[in-house]
Amino acid sequence: MQKPYFGRLLTAMVTPFNADDSINCQAAADFAEWLLDHEVDALVVEGSTGEAATMDFDEKVAILKAIKERVGGRAPIIVGAGTNCTKTTLELVHAFEEVGVDGLLVVGPYYNKPTQEGYYQHFAAVAKSTKLPIIVYNVPGRTGSNIEPATIARLAEDFSNIVAVKEAAGSVAQTAELYRVLPERISIYSGDDNLVLPFMSVGACGLISVVGNLGGHLVQQIMRAYTEGRVEEAAKLNRDLVPLAKTMFCESNPIPIKYAVTKVTGIDVGKPRLPLTPLMEADAVKVDALLRHYGLEQA
């Protein structure tokens, strides 16, 4: 099995909305194509950055179809199928299978705060229901509880279609423990741009990125330098990226990145949906200054 399973850089792409708050399938397809033209190895559609929590079932299928029709076959398309209800998650999985995706990103059920056995049973139900490869997504800051490495190791042992982990607990120690307990075949992806280098030092092999929405080169160069043994260069490149990565979280994701994407690409991805609000003016000034500093403003 190849590793990293879906490539080194997966971008968690934003979801474009029209001015009337409806989904913009044309812009989504345009943006997917832009990303693949800018050093992104694979697309993650309808994840946290894609505002999946505010999209209904039909919208999720429609925008996925538009992206699949435009760029399907060029790179893996992974879709966020996680909800806080196992039954609803399975319904999404089956719908996405019919569209023809390449993989699933399944977040730990949020709000419910399952036990570790509950996490195991949830992911086991998903794995049994599909042959698609699955990325287990651990993000305690959004879900309210942590999927422990031992639980993920148990799932990886029992289900061959669990192929990767997106680790976004923010802990280098937990990532090191994942690398220790997981089978060698499992790809560990950092879920935080500003932690990709320390995570790689303890066993991660790639990144599921927010900053990648502005161009894959911004983080590809860090990972490339590290894997080629140019560790000091990787550290300097990472140092240079940290201000941009931090600023993309100056307000709740994806508020800043959506603002920045429109500026950088010229593709209007619209405003976030409520309960998220547009980027505040003071933060927009900060983002604009950083985009100029990094030479990212559209010519």
Side-chain angles (χ1 to χ4, degrees):
M1 183 180 292
Q2 67 178 12
K3 185 178 177 182
Y5 190 91
F6 292 108
R8 188 161 50 197
L9 175 63
L10 288 60
T11 291
M13 64 178 287
V14 301
T15 296
F17 297 125
N18 293 305
D20 64 1
D21 211 35
S22 61
I23 59 169
N24 187 335
C25 289
Q26 175 70 42
D30 291 345
F31 183 49
E33 191 167 37
W34 186 93
L35 287 171
L36 295 184
D37 288 340
H38 287 80
E39 297 189 47
V40 169
D41 297 326
L43 303 174
V44 175
V45 183
E46 299 167 19
S48 303
T49 306
E51 300 178 78
T54 65
M55 296 169 65
D56 66 32
F57 185 94
D58 291 338
E59 288 177 325
K60 290 178 179 181
V61 172
I63 210 159
L64 182 60
K65 284 182 176 178
I67 293 168
K68 173 74 175 177
E69 288 172 5
R70 179 72 67 85
V71 300
R74 281 190 58 185
I77 298 173
I78 300 98
V79 62
T83 74
N84 69 331
C85 170
T86 305
K87 179 176 180 290
T88 303
T89 299
L90 297 180
E91 290 170 353
L92 279 173
V93 167
H94 297 152
F96 295 155
E97 279 182 319
E98 290 184 8
V99 176
V101 298
D102 300 292
L104 303 169
L105 178 73
V106 182
V107 71
Y110 41 87
Y111 188 80
N112 311 63
K113 299 181 74 172
T115 63
Q116 294 304 305
E117 182 62 22
Y119 276 128
Y120 175 85
Q121 294 295 342
H122 175 78
F123 283 99
V126 176
K128 289 174 184 176
S129 74
T130 182
K131 293 182 179 179
L132 287 171
I134 296 165
I135 303 174
V136 175
Y137 179 15
N138 183 40
V139 57
R142 285 187 179 268
T143 65
S145 57
N146 185 47
I147 311 173
E148 295 176 3
T151 302
I152 299 175
R154 182 183 169 198
L155 287 161
E157 180 69 25
D158 292 347
F159 301 101
S160 61
N161 58 336
I162 291 179
V163 300
V165 180
K166 178 183 178 183
E167 179 52 53
S171 168
V172 175
Q174 179 154 296
T175 304
E177 178 66 5
L178 278 170
Y179 187 68
R180 187 185 75 82
V181 301
L182 289 177
E184 181 61 28
R185 67 177 182 83
I186 299 294
S187 297
I188 300 173
Y189 289 97
S190 171
D192 296 290
D193 290 278
N194 61 356
L195 290 176
V196 62
L197 189 56
F199 275 25
M200 289 185 78
S201 75
V202 295
C205 59
L207 170 67
I208 298 179
S209 176
V210 172
V211 172
N213 279 281
L214 306 180
H217 67 284
L218 295 164
V219 283
Q220 286 278 26
Q221 58 187 348
I222 298 171
M223 294 187 285
R224 188 178 301 118
Y226 182 81
T227 57
E228 292 175 358
R230 294 178 281 117
V231 177
E232 185 175 351
E233 181 182 348
K236 290 178 179 178
L237 289 167
N238 186 71
R239 175 195 63 193
D240 294 342
L241 179 71
V242 166
L244 180 62
K246 290 179 67 175
T247 300
M248 288 304 106
F249 287 84
C250 64
E251 296 181 29
S252 295
N253 183 45
I255 294 172
I257 195 67
K258 290 196 84 169
Y259 175 88
V261 164
T262 297
K263 288 267 185 174
V264 170
T265 68
I267 300 168
D268 186 356
V269 298
K271 299 174 182 178
R273 276 182 169 173
L274 285 171
L276 299 183
T277 51
L279 190 66
M280 292 185 292
E281 185 175 347
D283 288 327
V285 170
K286 295 176 187 176
V287 172
D288 287 343
L290 265 183
L291 294 181
R292 287 193 296 272
H293 173 76
Y294 285 88
L296 292 172
E297 283 188 315
Q298 188 187 26

